[in-house]
Structures are given as structure tokens and as C-alpha cells.
Amino acid sequence: QALFAMLDRYFLTVGVRVDGNSAFGEDLGLQTYPKVSASYIIWDESFWNERFGVLKLRAAWGQSGRAPGTFDAVRTWEAQGYGGEPAYTPENLGNPNLGPERTSETEVGFDWAGFQNRLSTEVTWYRQRTTDALFEVRKPPSEGFALEQLENVGTIQNQGWELNLNAAILDRRDWGFDVGLNFYTNQSEVLDLGSAVPF
């Protein structure tokens, strides 16, 4: 990760994360997740009127991943009796092509404080889109198994707003009284189930 700053008001952060996980399928290798964010301290500009308080604008985009379970990619067996004799049956079918869910998120927002920092707020809008979401997919009975198999087939989207508001109602030498309000919205939608059974 690297941070670049110019004139103490323009900031750019770029970074990349590389994951390797034994829970991935055999051919997945390393997974790369980039990110970039920027902020602008606009209240430091000469044209800004101090009566408007202090204001920072910000935006970010990045990716993250969520690995499958430890043994989801491999076939496991369960001991069972059959006809009075020791036997075993598949507990998990396994999937050698199984990989992580990948989420891309975009955020834009601002931070503001005014009235001698007695009132402050943070406002953020975000949108997350998860591809290769892990869903249980029913396999054809002709393959000889009645189990479902975990596969990277889904697409999910989340978006919403986050609002944090803080106010210093009283600020005395020995005591004070602050009020805070947090408000969140989230709209979650499954855009694609792939070949998974609807649920």
C-alpha cells in the first residue's frame, strides 16, 4: 500500500492484496485484490469561507475476497453401516474448481464539522457487488450423488447509505453532554443464482 499527498489537501492511496489459500481449488493459485481511494480537504482552499465549517470529500473503490470453507473444495467421506457391514458414503462432493467470492465496492461521501466543531457528520453512499458467490448447486441424480455441490455461480448486490451525526450540546470545564445519531440503509438483492436452486 502507498499513500501520496500533495499540498496537504490532496491524498491518494493505492494498494493491492494477494491471497493464497489451501481452501481454493487446485488450479486457482493466488488471488489479487486491488484498491484505490482519494480524499480532498476542500476547506484548506483559499476560496473556502470559514463560516461553512470544515469539509473533506472522499471516494474509494476496492476489491476483497471471501474464501470457501476449509474442506469445501475436496471430497470427504462419512463412515456409515450398510447391510450390517462397515461402509462409507460421500459427506461432501468437493469441487476442484472452487474459488473465493469476490466483492467490488464503491464508496463516496464527505465528512463535515461546524460551529466550532460542536456539530459533525459523516455521510457515505456505497455499492457492493459480489461475483462468484458460493451457492449450493443440485447435481443431476444420474451422476450418482444426491448431494448438492458448492459452486461459484451467484451474483449479489448491496447498496445503501450510512449517516453518523454527533453534537456537543454542552461543553463545561468539568462535564459535558453529547448526542450521537447513526442511520443506515441497505438494499440487498440476488442478481443471479447461476444454476443454484431458487431459495
Side-chain angles (χ1 to χ4, degrees):
Q1 177 174 296
L3 171 64
F4 303 92
M6 184 170 59
L7 301 177
D8 286 332
R9 64 178 67 105
Y10 308 104
F11 298 91
L12 178 68
T13 301
V14 294
V16 63
R17 172 179 148 188
V18 180
D19 280 358
N21 196 312
S22 59
F24 296 166
E26 300 171 355
D27 301 324
L28 264 291
L30 298 176
Q31 300 294 303
T32 303
Y33 305 107
K35 66 177 181 178
V36 59
S37 63
S39 61
Y40 175 28
I41 312 297
I42 191 172
W43 66 274
D44 270 346
E45 297 287 1
S46 58
F47 61 78
W48 186 258
N49 192 321
E50 293 184 357
R51 292 180 301 174
F52 299 153
V54 296
L55 177 66
K56 178 177 76 171
L57 308 178
R58 50 184 166 75
W61 174 87
Q63 291 187 336
S64 63
R66 186 175 75 91
T70 306
F71 299 109
D72 287 342
V74 297
R75 180 165 296 180
T76 59
W77 304 87
E78 180 181 17
Q80 283 190 352
Y82 181 77
E85 298 293 331
Y88 58 88
T89 58
E91 184 179 26
N92 178 54
L93 292 181
N95 181 358
N97 300 314
L98 202 61
E101 297 181 333
R102 181 178 293 268
T103 299
S104 298
E105 180 171 359
T106 301
E107 287 187 6
V108 293
F110 66 87
D111 304 334
W112 175 86
F115 305 103
Q116 298 179 338
N117 289 328
R118 297 175 67 89
L119 182 65
S120 63
T121 184
E122 299 176 7
V123 179
T124 303
W125 173 87
Y126 68 91
R127 173 180 288 170
Q128 297 175 337
R129 188 181 181 94
T130 300
T131 56
D132 295 331
L134 294 166
F135 288 146
E136 297 281 354
V137 177
R138 185 175 299 164
K139 308 306 292 182
S142 58
E143 292 187 6
F145 300 103
L147 302 174
E148 295 180 339
Q149 185 177 42
L150 200 62
E151 294 187 9
N152 298 100
V153 295
T155 303
I156 304 171
Q157 180 172 283
N158 292 282
Q159 63 181 0
W161 290 87
E162 299 177 355
L163 169 65
N164 298 321
L165 183 64
N166 297 285
I169 305 300
L170 290 173
D171 187 12
R172 303 295 187 224
R173 185 175 63 181
D174 298 326
W175 64 282
F177 181 66
D178 297 342
V179 174
L181 171 68
N182 299 324
F183 177 75
Y184 304 93
T185 70
N186 181 60
Q187 180 184 7
S188 182
E189 183 179 7
V190 177
L191 302 179
D192 188 6
L193 283 172
S195 51
V197 177
F199 60 88

